[in-house]
Amino acid sequence: MTSLPTGFAPASYWMESAPGPAYPALEPGPERSVPEVEVAVVGGGIAGICTAWELARAGRQVALIEADRLAAGATGHTTAKLSALQGLAYQDIRASRGEEAARLYAASQADAVDRVGRIAAELGIDCDLERAPAYTYAESEESLDAVRAEAEAAAAAGLDASFTTETDLPFPVAGAVRVADQAQFHPRKFLLALAGDLVARGGRIYENSRVMGLGEGHPCRLTTDRGARIRAREVVVTTAYPIFDRALLFPRLKVRRELVVAAVLPEDGAPRGMYLTPEDDTRSVRSAPYGDGRRLLIVTGEKFTPGVGSVEGRYERLISWTRRRFPGAEPAFRWAAQDNWTTDHVPYVGPLHPGARHAYVATGFAGWGMTGGVLTGRLLAGRLTGRPLPWTDLYDPRRLNPLRETPALLRLQGEVARHFFGDRISGDGADAVRDIPPGGGAVVRVGAGQRAVHRDEDGALHALSARCTHLGCLVRFDDAERTWECPCHGSRFAVDGSVLQGPAVHPLERYDDLGDGHDGPDGEGRR
């Protein structure tokens, strides 16, 4: 077992316990040296890695291009559950898409769970893979009807689902849906091994290479922030939130963040099943091997829109819930994850836009990106090699049912509009800068505009444009991670303005001072 830092670390256990090798950046060069491949995959999370690997396994020449490090974004901050039972998904899908859609969804998700086991066995990957039952449970009688309905809907969709009142949680539940033989694993151990096998099969991997532009043609052309280029017959975009506006998916995606707390428990005190309840603003529980007779209890919850409300307060609620429900749990790690929800509860995996012939996208996994990412690899590899799977059309992004989706679309766009227009008349005056504590941040009005101001631990001020470089919404400060976040589409920026998470690809503009006589703590203008 890897030696890990002691104490309560503001870091992902998956990242700390499996650092992984580094891969080179895509370097700029003359036209004659521009790499050319059959398929370029943009985004090195589970969807991108699995897609690149499946295509390489099918004999295609593949390049995988990641803006940061492989499996370090949403994939490196997951709870790492592989389950075809996904909260209350089946009654929602049946209502929005029909019985056949629910059946195909169940079959595709179950296939993804089994696919991880087959790949791990084939390649000999030690990734802490464990088979375990999955549960969606209710503690209150108010939620029990929805849980019973999910048991019926999941069974009708083809899963071996049943209603039960028995779990291995250390507290009583009113009832739960149970689906046996699901799985949990260490995602980075699995994916870093997959990346190594991708390279062994002739695939190329480029890290620290942020794709900025896509030219669709014959071939397609990609350009990066450093001016590097690559040509490809086909392009797949798996960047969580799509980075290209032409996808026409922005009005149909809702972004949410969730918090994760990981605590150490004795082996005999940790649940072996995987649990989720929609109550208490969502609570997800599972445990992972931790060595020396211990397991790591992983608790997720506090779902929220990025940039809205105190994140520290949400962490406090989640930690308090964990300690109450699991006495003796010793918090060791905390981190946050972000994902996107579609308006009809089914991810988008397929052509990037209605006119696309050689560009594809995968997004909208609604917190189930582990099975969604594995599914993406299988689905797109089948599509690009002429062997489509039975559920290919189910996930096609070009689908639109105005009757069923319009209410959700209107609610989502109403939320975005409230932030886009309402935030412009909010924000403190520039005099409020003096009230920003060390480590804190605030959006302040300067003349007719707003600036995002952070005070570091030494008291120095860091001023940025508060306008997200994606579509211009105003960012807000995350007091737990000390980042700037866009509530409209989830772009995230470091306090120096650099992009941490898209869809934005350009950094926030930096200022030397606040433009009104405010500057650093010693009266000196600073950036």
Side-chain angles (χ1 to χ4, degrees):
M1 181 64 62
T2 305
S3 176
L4 295 168
T6 59
F8 192 49
S12 161
Y13 167 69
W14 315 123
M15 297 295 296
E16 294 292 310
S17 58
Y23 291 94
L26 182 61
E27 297 291 346
E31 182 67 23
R32 64 179 179 277
S33 66
V34 173
E36 187 159 350
V37 294
E38 289 181 273
V39 186
V41 180
V42 183
I46 187 169
I49 294 172
C50 288
T51 299
W53 183 82
E54 293 279 7
L55 286 164
R57 188 172 184 269
R60 298 297 191 266
Q61 295 176 314
V62 182
L64 177 62
I65 309 165
E66 165 57 36
D68 187 12
R69 299 291 307 278
L70 287 188
T75 296
H77 296 79
T78 177
T79 51
K81 295 193 294 186
L82 294 157
S83 175
L85 179 66
Q86 301 174 0
L88 303 176
Y90 289 97
Q91 53 191 300
D92 289 342
I93 294 170
R94 184 167 65 177
S96 65
R97 300 287 301 275
E99 294 276 2
E100 178 64 8
R103 187 189 67 78
L104 288 171
Y105 189 85
S108 63
Q109 298 293 318
D111 178 81
V113 175
D114 293 339
R115 184 65 171 161
V116 172
R118 293 196 299 270
I119 293 172
E122 176 185 331
L123 301 183
I125 301 174
D126 181 5
C127 58
D128 299 336
L129 183 65
E130 297 177 326
R131 286 288 187 170
Y135 299 80
T136 298
Y137 72 92
E139 289 187 70
S140 69
E141 293 295 328
E142 290 79 6
S143 301
L144 195 54
D145 286 347
V147 168
R148 288 186 184 276
E150 186 63 16
E152 185 277 325
L159 296 182
D160 185 13
S162 60
F163 180 82
T164 183
T165 56
E166 297 181 1
T167 73
D168 69 341
L169 291 170
F171 51 86
V173 303
V177 189
R178 182 183 189 273
V179 175
D181 205 28
Q182 303 306 287
Q184 51 193 15
F185 70 148
H186 191 305
R188 281 181 58 82
K189 288 181 180 179
F190 176 77
L191 292 169
L192 293 175
L194 217 59
D197 191 66
L198 168 64
V199 173
R201 294 175 186 271
R204 310 178 193 183
I205 296 176
Y206 301 104
E207 292 184 323
N208 297 303
S209 303
R210 184 176 299 280
V211 170
M212 307 285 282
L214 165 63
E216 296 180 57
H218 305 281
C220 297
R221 294 172 177 265
L222 294 167
T223 56
T224 74
D225 51 349
R226 300 177 60 208
R229 294 164 292 168
I230 190 169
R231 292 189 288 263
R233 187 182 306 166
E234 315 278 354
V235 170
V236 177
V237 180
T238 64
T239 56
Y241 209 108
I243 59 173
F244 299 113
D245 291 356
R246 74 193 72 170
L248 303 178
L249 298 179
F250 293 161
R252 302 166 67 194
L253 287 171
K254 176 174 66 176
V255 61
R256 291 292 183 267
R257 286 183 72 72
E258 289 186 270
L259 306 183
V260 184
V261 171
V264 180
L265 277 177
E267 252 189 89
D268 59 5
R272 295 307 179 96
M274 301 180 293
Y275 295 91
L276 184 143
T277 178
E279 298 174 343
D280 292 321
D281 199 13
T282 305
R283 294 291 184 263
S284 168
V285 176
R286 71 98 150 183
S287 68
Y290 200 64
D292 299 326
R294 301 173 298 169
R295 288 182 72 84
L296 195 66
L297 179 74
I298 301 169
V299 179
T300 308
E302 296 296 317
K303 191 180 296 180
F304 63 100
T305 300
V308 176
S310 168
V311 180
E312 281 290 357
R314 296 179 184 277
Y315 268 121
E316 290 171 6
R317 287 194 292 274
L318 193 60
I319 292 168
S320 177
W321 186 92
T322 301
R323 285 175 167 156
R324 286 197 315 271
R325 299 307 175 92
F326 296 90
E330 178 187 347
F333 300 89
R334 76 176 197 181
W335 65 89
Q338 186 163 305
D339 210 342
N340 310 300
W341 275 249
T342 68
T343 50
D344 67 356
H345 308 281
V346 176
Y348 300 131
V349 184
L352 178 63
H353 57 83
R357 296 294 178 268
H358 303 284
Y360 301 85
V361 69
T363 187
F365 297 119
W368 298 98
M370 298 297 98
T371 48
V374 176
L375 176 152
T376 292
R378 286 260 288 145
L379 189 154
L380 290 180
R383 187 161 196 155
L384 270 61
T385 58
R387 295 188 291 272
L389 297 173
W391 42 81
T392 296
D393 291 343
L394 171 70
Y395 292 92
D396 195 316
R398 296 170 298 185
R399 69 184 187 265
L400 182 64
N401 187 316
L403 183 62
R404 292 173 178 165
E405 290 191 57
T406 295
L409 282 165
L410 292 175
R411 286 194 301 271
L412 177 57
Q413 290 316 297
E415 183 178 332
V416 170
R418 283 194 297 274
H419 288 300
F420 188 87
F421 296 107
D423 290 355
R424 278 163 167 70
I425 60 175
S426 63
D428 298 320
D431 287 343
V433 169
R434 66 172 63 92
D435 296 326
I436 299 174
V443 172
V444 300
R445 290 192 300 271
V446 177
Q450 287 97 349
R451 293 188 185 171
V453 182
H454 166 66
R455 188 185 300 277
D456 65 28
E457 294 295 348
D458 295 325
L461 299 174
H462 302 258
L464 306 167
S465 167
R467 290 173 59 92
C468 176
T469 56
H470 174 225
L471 293 179
C473 292
L474 297 187
V475 297
R476 296 181 180 181
F477 192 68
D478 180 327
D479 57 353
E481 298 182 81
R482 298 188 182 184
T483 55
W484 295 104
E485 299 178 349
C486 175
C488 291
H489 303 105
S491 295
R492 301 175 62 244
F493 305 86
V495 291
D496 66 357
S498 58
V499 178
L500 297 175
Q501 189 163 356
V505 295
H506 298 283
L508 298 176
E509 183 181 357
R510 288 191 272 181
Y511 292 95
D512 290 332
D513 55 48
L514 292 179
D516 61 349
H518 287 270
D519 40 43
D522 299 320
E524 296 178 1
R526 40 141 315 279
R527 44 179 264 168

